[in-house]
Amino acid sequence: MKSSLIFMMIPLLAFGKFGIDFGPDSANDFSVSDLQCLRSTGIQFAIIRGWHSYGAFDQRLLTTFPNGLKAGFPSIGVYLFPCWGMDAVQQVQQMMGNLTQYRRNIDRVWLDIEMNPNQGCGWDTHSFEDNCQYISEMVDAVKALNYEVGIYASHRGWGIILGNDAACQNFADIPLWYPHFDYKPTFDDFVSFGGWKKPTIKQYIDLTRNSKCGIPVDQDWIPDDDDLKFQ
Ligand SMILES: *[C@@H]1O[C@H](CO)[C@@H](O)[C@H](O)[C@H]1NC(C)=O
């Protein structure tokens, strides 16, 4: 029984790279030992929140980011959850302005394009065209600072924020990170939207139903043939 279980696990572990993403809070500070524990379970990459959805730099990143490096993550991604009430370019500049000391360890800056319930921060009070333009400004701002950029978005969210699946195809040349909590580390479920023919990362397990090392974390997966660094 035991050996057949191990046998079944091997293909999953051997194929692709497994990662986590999280926004640290007072209950979970992601200490060096927490992150070392996560690495010992086979987690190879991490993406950490750098900007709160209410429009401010996430100060905890200044502890969590160096903790991740100490725990042995070679490079780390950061994500920005924008608040539409603020200028697109300024949010990128302020987040990255707070992170200049980690410039060479930042793998990529991910723009988190999803519904934002914070007062004055939502996409729903703006036109689909303006939302597309807003994302373009953020993408350009990340590139202007010489960081790699990517977009986190779901098929459903894209329709709500940009109008429909085929809308706003400006970003098909940058990596897509998409959520689908089906517990399957494969892209077989992917449905094309926003001009993306293929995704780069899948967030396949949701933190509300997942705990590793006693910590709730979202889990992510990249196939072996990915073009991301994380190494
Ligand atoms: C850090 O972020 C805050 C916003 O939370 C901003 O006011 C500040 O200017 C940023 N710092 C730098 C050095 O860019």
Side-chain angles (χ1 to χ4, degrees), residues 72-88:
F73 287 105
S75 67
I76 297 171
V78 292
Y79 71 88
L80 187 162
F81 194 156
C83 168
W84 220 121
M86 288 182 68
D87 183 75

Side-chain angles (χ1 to χ4, degrees), residues 71-140:
F73 287 105
S75 67
I76 297 171
V78 292
Y79 71 88
L80 187 162
F81 194 156
C83 168
W84 220 121
M86 288 182 68
D87 183 75
V89 175
Q90 270 178 16
Q91 286 178 90
V92 170
Q93 289 176 344
Q94 288 183 12
M95 180 172 95
M96 302 324 291
N98 279 282
L99 293 174
T100 47
Q101 61 182 310
Y102 298 116
R103 163 171 277 281
R104 62 195 175 81
N105 303 108
I106 294 173
D107 175 80
R108 187 173 296 267
V109 178
W110 295 93
L111 303 171
D112 182 352
I113 309 306
E114 62 177 303
M115 270 66 83
N116 188 331
N118 290 283
Q119 182 81 31
C121 291
W123 301 88
D124 50 347
T125 51
H126 304 273
S127 70
F128 298 136
E129 292 72 22
D130 285 353
N131 288 344
C132 183
Q133 175 64 26
Y134 190 87
I135 301 168
S136 289
E137 286 175 23
M138 283 199 297
V139 166
D140 290 346

Side-chain angles (χ1 to χ4, degrees), residues 14-36:
F15 183 61
K17 292 193 191 101
F18 292 82
I20 48 167
D21 69 271
F22 56 87
D25 58 27
S26 51
N28 294 296
D29 61 356
F30 292 87
S31 64
V32 176
S33 60
D34 288 342
L35 291 160
Q36 278 169 339

Side-chain angles (χ1 to χ4, degrees), residues 81-210:
F81 194 156
C83 168
W84 220 121
M86 288 182 68
D87 183 75
V89 175
Q90 270 178 16
Q91 286 178 90
V92 170
Q93 289 176 344
Q94 288 183 12
M95 180 172 95
M96 302 324 291
N98 279 282
L99 293 174
T100 47
Q101 61 182 310
Y102 298 116
R103 163 171 277 281
R104 62 195 175 81
N105 303 108
I106 294 173
D107 175 80
R108 187 173 296 267
V109 178
W110 295 93
L111 303 171
D112 182 352
I113 309 306
E114 62 177 303
M115 270 66 83
N116 188 331
N118 290 283
Q119 182 81 31
C121 291
W123 301 88
D124 50 347
T125 51
H126 304 273
S127 70
F128 298 136
E129 292 72 22
D130 285 353
N131 288 344
C132 183
Q133 175 64 26
Y134 190 87
I135 301 168
S136 289
E137 286 175 23
M138 283 199 297
V139 166
D140 290 346
V142 175
K143 288 181 175 169
L145 293 173
N146 281 312
Y147 288 95
E148 301 290 338
V149 65
I151 288 184
Y152 171 96
S154 71
H155 175 227
R156 180 171 167 269
W158 201 259
I160 296 171
I161 294 169
L162 283 319
N164 60 65
D165 288 3
C168 195
Q169 303 200 4
N170 307 2
F171 315 113
D173 61 337
I174 65 175
L176 173 69
W177 173 24
Y178 77 109
H180 184 200
F181 305 133
D182 63 359
Y183 295 77
K184 292 181 183 138
T186 102
F187 290 156
D188 293 350
D189 58 299
F190 180 69
V191 177
S192 177
F193 63 92
W196 282 286
K197 300 273 183 294
K198 75 176 188 68
T200 297
I201 307 188
K202 177 174 174 181
Q203 187 184 48
Y204 72 109
I205 304 177
D206 167 30
L207 66 84
T208 61
R209 285 175 293 170
N210 189 46

Side-chain angles (χ1 to χ4, degrees), residues 205-219:
I205 304 177
D206 167 30
L207 66 84
T208 61
R209 285 175 293 170
N210 189 46
S211 170
K212 258 186 179 314
C213 301
I215 311 161
V217 283
D218 290 323
Q219 276 183 252

